[in-house]
Every structure is written in C-alpha cells, then in structure tokens.
Amino acid sequence: MSASNDPKNYRPETRLVHAGTLRSQFNEMSEAIYLTQGYRYESAEDCEARFSGKIPGYVYSRYSNPTMDMFEKRMAALEGAEAARATVSGMAAVTNALMGLVRAGDHIVAAKALFGSCRWVIEDWLSRFGVTFTLVDGVDLDAWRKAVRKETKVLFMETPTNPTLEVYDIAAIAEIAHGVGAKLVVDNVFATPLYQSPLQLGADVVVYSATKHIDGQGRVLGGVILASEKIIGDHYHNLLRQTGPTLPPFNAWVLLKGLETLAVRVERQTATAAAIADRLAGHDKLTRMIYPGRADHPQADIVKKQMKAGSTLIAFEIKGGKEGAFRFLNALKLILITNNLGDAKSLITHPTTTTHQRLTPEQRAELGIGDGLVRLSCGLEHPDDIAEDLLAALEKV
Ligand SMILES: *Cc1c(COP(=O)(O)O)cnc(C)c1O
C-alpha cells in the first residue's frame, strides 16, 4: 500500500479530498473499508519485528487499521497537527484526552459552559480518582489566572460554547496554562477545523466529536484527538491501544467521505446561519439572538482575532419561557427537533429540557441558558425555506 502525494502546501479544501489516502495493490479510486481484526505476517521474524515496532505496519485493529489510519492522517493534515488518534465517539476523545494528562492529586480548570457529558466527566467521574477541578467563567481571564495552581495539569474548554455560543480567547488561556506547566485542551466542535486552529493559537491538544460537522449527515459517531507526536506518544498512544475506544473501520470510512465535502457544507451552512441571524435580529418575539459572526456578539473582538468565520449555529431566546419555546418548536414544519448539530438537515434543540436538563435552574441561569433559549443548527436546505419556517413559527408564539 502506498500513500498518495500529500504536499503540505495544498489548501484545506484540497487536503480534505486527498490527504492521507492509502491505496492497495488494486489502486482503488475511493478509500477502501478494511474490515479485519488483524493482519498476517510473512514470517515469524516479520511478526516479531512488527510487534517490537522495529518495522512499521499494522498489528491489530484495536491499535490501528488502514481505514482509521486514513481518517487520522486526513484530520492531522487538515488541522496542521503532527499526529491524530481516532476514537469511537466524541466523548471517548474528550475523556481520554483528559485522562491521559492527569493522575491522582492533579487539578483541572475548565470553563463551566461545557457540553453536558464533558462536564460530567470532570465533575462526577475524574473526581472519583482524586483529580480535583475548578470551573470558571471562560470569558473572565482573571478567573482562569486565579484558578490555576501548581497541581493544575489541564485547562479545558470549548469555544464557541454550547449552547450560548460564547467565545474564549484561546491564545490568552494557553499562556495562562503554560505559565503553570499545564496543557490547554480545546474542544473545537463548534468552530470546525476550517474556522479555528487552536494548535496554531497555542493550545496543546484539540478534540472533536466527528459525529457533528465531520460526518455532517447524521450517520455515525466518531471522535479524534490531535496533538504533537510527543504529546500523543507520552500521554495517549498506550492509553488508547490498551483500553481500546477504537473507531470501527466502517465509521472511519463514513467520516473520511464526510471530510471530502466538509468545506462546501460548512461554508454553505455558515452563510445560511449568517443570513438567518440577520433576519432574526431585533425580532419582536425574541429577547436575545446570539451569532458569532455578527458585530453585536459579546466577544466580537475575539471572534475577529481567532476565527475565520462565524458558525453554522445560532442561539436565540423566545419570549414566554419554556411555554413560548415549545409553542415555537411545535409550529416548525421543516426544521427538525433533535439534539445533533452540524447536519445537512436543519435541527433545533431546547437545551433546558434536553442537553442541560441535568443542571439546576441556578446553574443554567449562571450559563445564560434561559427557559426560552433554543439552539438552531443550519442545514443545507435553501436559506429562504429555513427562514420562512422560523418566521412562521414565531408568529405562533
Ligand atoms: C457532541 C459533542 C461532544 C460529544 O460527542 P459524541 O460524538 O456525541 O460523543 C463533545 N463536545 C461537544 C462540543 C459536542 O458538541
């Protein structure tokens, strides 16, 4: 099998289509799905050399597999990372990205506006093993500075956040992390690899749920951890091989094909979201409308500094709390009520009763998640059809 030429100077759109492709002796056009648990060796000596790592090659599909390998290589080329490791879900990526960096007695500082399961991993799971944590308001750089201490090994955040689309200063927070010898881990799902490059801004580790924009058509789960060869080698290589949260070959193949169209989908979905945000701004049935691409976004200066474009997502708060939001959701005809995002189909979520149900009303208030807040993920439909559906449903509130 040979790797296709993959010059680093190709632009992201080109890397999305070609980077990491491995072709077998049949020279297949499309990437192949290697459904095999293991590999045979030419000789006992060859087997011994592969196991000892003296010669490269696949050994066992819990470790790696050519289809998974192609996905990892394509993601690394896109992100500008030295190395990548694919996982079976976004949460497997986040959990291992954190667990690989800490041991009992260590401390994590994280922004409190986190995807629900990420917050659970820090608050309820890692704390079982003697890893303490401090949750801070991610916008407040002084809060990060005050929270770090000599036991701090990890700073963790997502930006833009779910669901209120707050934006945090990656370069400034990376500097705070490095000041105490800690590593910054960024969950980059909402920005996508196209619009924000945390490693270039100083982050040490980037994680994705590939379930979102990377698949982009609601088919499979997947995740990926990206970092330098050294960080992957020191913190993740053995953890992932020995514990086995491996991405199955079929899912890796779906995600590889998803990557081929990522740029066209995300560009179109972002243009749609920007147009819809402009149409919704100031609407008399809304108390708030948040879109990272607009000048009225609370962190518009940071957006300008670290992101190439806005987002495929919009958050807005409907008058009348939960009742108003439910009346609006139930009046939608095209946009689907669900909790995924980044899909070809436009999707809408009510965080208070779904993704953030576990939090207390006080914790939600602290995060700016009111009972009338909804999160819209713009799809590939005609923008006017999406806008008309939203505006007609708002009339019903
Ligand atoms: C969805 C999501 C995850 C978890 O990913 P799964 O693929 O569902 O496990 C983590 N972080 C963010 C920001 C997400 O949106």
mmCIF file of all heavy atoms in Angstrom, residues 240-259:
data_model
loop_
_atom_site.group_PDB
_atom_site.id
_atom_site.type_symbol
_atom_site.label_atom_id
_atom_site.label_comp_id
_atom_site.label_asym_id
_atom_site.label_seq_id
_atom_site.Cartn_x
_atom_site.Cartn_y
_atom_site.Cartn_z
ATOM 1 N N LEU A 240 -4.797 4.582 24.602
ATOM 2 C CA LEU A 240 -5.799 4.229 23.601
ATOM 3 C C LEU A 240 -5.623 2.791 23.123
ATOM 4 O O LEU A 240 -6.589 2.054 22.961
ATOM 5 C CB LEU A 240 -5.736 5.208 22.428
ATOM 6 C CG LEU A 240 -6.112 6.658 22.791
ATOM 7 C CD1 LEU A 240 -5.774 7.605 21.640
ATOM 8 C CD2 LEU A 240 -7.588 6.779 23.153
ATOM 9 N N ARG A 241 -4.364 2.361 22.923
ATOM 10 C CA ARG A 241 -4.131 0.980 22.468
ATOM 11 C C ARG A 241 -4.585 -0.051 23.498
ATOM 12 O O ARG A 241 -5.175 -1.070 23.161
ATOM 13 C CB ARG A 241 -2.635 0.760 22.231
ATOM 14 C CG ARG A 241 -2.145 1.324 20.958
ATOM 15 C CD ARG A 241 -0.704 0.889 20.803
ATOM 16 N NE ARG A 241 -0.295 1.072 19.435
ATOM 17 C CZ ARG A 241 0.551 0.256 18.798
ATOM 18 N NH1 ARG A 241 1.095 -0.766 19.405
ATOM 19 N NH2 ARG A 241 0.878 0.473 17.558
ATOM 20 N N GLN A 242 -4.272 0.232 24.770
ATOM 21 C CA GLN A 242 -4.553 -0.775 25.800
ATOM 22 C C GLN A 242 -6.027 -0.785 26.223
ATOM 23 O O GLN A 242 -6.542 -1.815 26.609
ATOM 24 C CB GLN A 242 -3.655 -0.580 27.033
ATOM 25 C CG GLN A 242 -2.156 -0.453 26.756
ATOM 26 C CD GLN A 242 -1.576 -1.537 25.859
ATOM 27 O OE1 GLN A 242 -2.145 -2.620 25.726
ATOM 28 N NE2 GLN A 242 -0.466 -1.258 25.235
ATOM 29 N N THR A 243 -6.696 0.394 26.166
ATOM 30 C CA THR A 243 -8.094 0.411 26.625
ATOM 31 C C THR A 243 -9.100 0.270 25.482
ATOM 32 O O THR A 243 -10.238 -0.082 25.723
ATOM 33 C CB THR A 243 -8.409 1.688 27.436
ATOM 34 O OG1 THR A 243 -8.265 2.832 26.594
ATOM 35 C CG2 THR A 243 -7.477 1.815 28.642
ATOM 36 N N GLY A 244 -8.697 0.595 24.235
ATOM 37 C CA GLY A 244 -9.498 0.239 23.068
ATOM 38 C C GLY A 244 -10.776 0.999 22.751
ATOM 39 O O GLY A 244 -11.760 0.377 22.350
ATOM 40 N N PRO A 245 -10.820 2.336 22.859
ATOM 41 C CA PRO A 245 -12.007 3.067 22.390
ATOM 42 C C PRO A 245 -11.929 3.321 20.875
ATOM 43 O O PRO A 245 -12.216 4.417 20.396
ATOM 44 C CB PRO A 245 -11.922 4.382 23.179
ATOM 45 C CG PRO A 245 -10.462 4.618 23.327
ATOM 46 C CD PRO A 245 -9.810 3.247 23.442
ATOM 47 N N THR A 246 -11.516 2.294 20.122
ATOM 48 C CA THR A 246 -11.127 2.423 18.712
ATOM 49 C C THR A 246 -12.297 2.744 17.793
ATOM 50 O O THR A 246 -13.389 2.205 17.956
ATOM 51 C CB THR A 246 -10.514 1.072 18.267
ATOM 52 O OG1 THR A 246 -9.724 0.565 19.348
ATOM 53 C CG2 THR A 246 -9.671 1.213 17.044
ATOM 54 N N LEU A 247 -12.040 3.569 16.801
ATOM 55 C CA LEU A 247 -13.057 3.885 15.790
ATOM 56 C C LEU A 247 -13.201 2.701 14.840
ATOM 57 O O LEU A 247 -12.226 2.296 14.210
ATOM 58 C CB LEU A 247 -12.621 5.139 15.011
ATOM 59 C CG LEU A 247 -13.571 5.643 13.933
ATOM 60 C CD1 LEU A 247 -14.879 6.139 14.532
ATOM 61 C CD2 LEU A 247 -12.909 6.749 13.116
ATOM 62 N N PRO A 248 -14.401 2.135 14.687
ATOM 63 C CA PRO A 248 -14.558 0.999 13.763
ATOM 64 C C PRO A 248 -14.301 1.425 12.312
ATOM 65 O O PRO A 248 -14.575 2.565 11.953
ATOM 66 C CB PRO A 248 -16.022 0.582 13.942
ATOM 67 C CG PRO A 248 -16.455 1.186 15.236
ATOM 68 C CD PRO A 248 -15.642 2.445 15.399
ATOM 69 N N PRO A 249 -13.759 0.492 11.484
ATOM 70 C CA PRO A 249 -13.393 0.838 10.108
ATOM 71 C C PRO A 249 -14.556 1.416 9.298
ATOM 72 O O PRO A 249 -14.368 2.353 8.528
ATOM 73 C CB PRO A 249 -12.928 -0.481 9.497
ATOM 74 C CG PRO A 249 -12.682 -1.391 10.636
ATOM 75 C CD PRO A 249 -13.414 -0.887 11.826
ATOM 76 N N PHE A 250 -15.744 0.869 9.461
ATOM 77 C CA PHE A 250 -16.864 1.389 8.671
ATOM 78 C C PHE A 250 -17.133 2.855 9.024
ATOM 79 O O PHE A 250 -17.307 3.700 8.151
ATOM 80 C CB PHE A 250 -18.139 0.554 8.869
ATOM 81 C CG PHE A 250 -19.306 1.116 8.108
ATOM 82 C CD1 PHE A 250 -19.398 0.947 6.733
ATOM 83 C CD2 PHE A 250 -20.284 1.861 8.759
ATOM 84 C CE1 PHE A 250 -20.445 1.518 6.011
ATOM 85 C CE2 PHE A 250 -21.334 2.429 8.051
ATOM 86 C CZ PHE A 250 -21.412 2.255 6.672
ATOM 87 N N ASN A 251 -17.138 3.150 10.332
ATOM 88 C CA ASN A 251 -17.386 4.530 10.750
ATOM 89 C C ASN A 251 -16.267 5.455 10.270
ATOM 90 O O ASN A 251 -16.519 6.591 9.863
ATOM 91 C CB ASN A 251 -17.506 4.607 12.273
ATOM 92 C CG ASN A 251 -18.680 3.807 12.790
ATOM 93 O OD1 ASN A 251 -19.120 2.855 12.149
ATOM 94 N ND2 ASN A 251 -19.200 4.182 13.932
ATOM 95 N N ALA A 252 -15.035 4.939 10.296
ATOM 96 C CA ALA A 252 -13.901 5.741 9.810
ATOM 97 C C ALA A 252 -14.098 6.078 8.334
ATOM 98 O O ALA A 252 -13.822 7.189 7.890
ATOM 99 C CB ALA A 252 -12.591 4.977 10.010
ATOM 100 N N TRP A 253 -14.601 5.123 7.576
ATOM 101 C CA TRP A 253 -14.825 5.341 6.148
ATOM 102 C C TRP A 253 -15.926 6.381 5.918
ATOM 103 O O TRP A 253 -15.770 7.290 5.102
ATOM 104 C CB TRP A 253 -15.200 4.002 5.490
ATOM 105 C CG TRP A 253 -15.504 4.120 4.039
ATOM 106 C CD1 TRP A 253 -14.605 4.162 3.017
ATOM 107 C CD2 TRP A 253 -16.802 4.220 3.454
ATOM 108 N NE1 TRP A 253 -15.272 4.292 1.816
ATOM 109 C CE2 TRP A 253 -16.615 4.322 2.063
ATOM 110 C CE3 TRP A 253 -18.101 4.223 3.965
ATOM 111 C CZ2 TRP A 253 -17.671 4.438 1.174
ATOM 112 C CZ3 TRP A 253 -19.166 4.336 3.091
ATOM 113 C CH2 TRP A 253 -18.948 4.445 1.703
ATOM 114 N N VAL A 254 -17.006 6.296 6.685
ATOM 115 C CA VAL A 254 -18.084 7.293 6.557
ATOM 116 C C VAL A 254 -17.524 8.687 6.847
ATOM 117 O O VAL A 254 -17.812 9.656 6.137
ATOM 118 C CB VAL A 254 -19.265 6.951 7.502
ATOM 119 C CG1 VAL A 254 -20.286 8.085 7.521
ATOM 120 C CG2 VAL A 254 -19.929 5.643 7.094
ATOM 121 N N LEU A 255 -16.697 8.777 7.879
ATOM 122 C CA LEU A 255 -16.143 10.081 8.268
ATOM 123 C C LEU A 255 -15.138 10.604 7.230
ATOM 124 O O LEU A 255 -15.080 11.806 6.969
ATOM 125 C CB LEU A 255 -15.505 9.983 9.653
ATOM 126 C CG LEU A 255 -16.501 9.658 10.778
ATOM 127 C CD1 LEU A 255 -15.770 9.372 12.079
ATOM 128 C CD2 LEU A 255 -17.509 10.790 10.970
ATOM 129 N N LEU A 256 -14.364 9.689 6.626
ATOM 130 C CA LEU A 256 -13.441 10.092 5.552
ATOM 131 C C LEU A 256 -14.214 10.707 4.395
ATOM 132 O O LEU A 256 -13.823 11.728 3.840
ATOM 133 C CB LEU A 256 -12.729 8.848 5.007
ATOM 134 C CG LEU A 256 -11.346 8.493 5.475
ATOM 135 C CD1 LEU A 256 -10.980 7.123 4.923
ATOM 136 C CD2 LEU A 256 -10.324 9.522 5.056
ATOM 137 N N LYS A 257 -15.306 10.058 4.030
ATOM 138 C CA LYS A 257 -16.127 10.583 2.931
ATOM 139 C C LYS A 257 -16.805 11.882 3.363
ATOM 140 O O LYS A 257 -17.000 12.782 2.551
ATOM 141 C CB LYS A 257 -17.158 9.546 2.459
ATOM 142 C CG LYS A 257 -16.590 8.247 1.947
ATOM 143 C CD LYS A 257 -15.410 8.410 1.027
ATOM 144 C CE LYS A 257 -15.723 8.365 -0.443
ATOM 145 N NZ LYS A 257 -14.479 8.564 -1.259
ATOM 146 N N GLY A 258 -17.138 11.986 4.644
ATOM 147 C CA GLY A 258 -17.699 13.236 5.163
ATOM 148 C C GLY A 258 -16.706 14.381 5.015
ATOM 149 O O GLY A 258 -17.059 15.489 4.624
ATOM 150 N N LEU A 259 -15.438 14.087 5.294
ATOM 151 C CA LEU A 259 -14.411 15.130 5.187
ATOM 152 C C LEU A 259 -14.317 15.687 3.765
ATOM 153 O O LEU A 259 -14.077 16.876 3.574
ATOM 154 C CB LEU A 259 -13.046 14.592 5.629
ATOM 155 C CG LEU A 259 -12.824 14.474 7.140
ATOM 156 C CD1 LEU A 259 -11.470 13.827 7.422
ATOM 157 C CD2 LEU A 259 -12.918 15.824 7.844
#
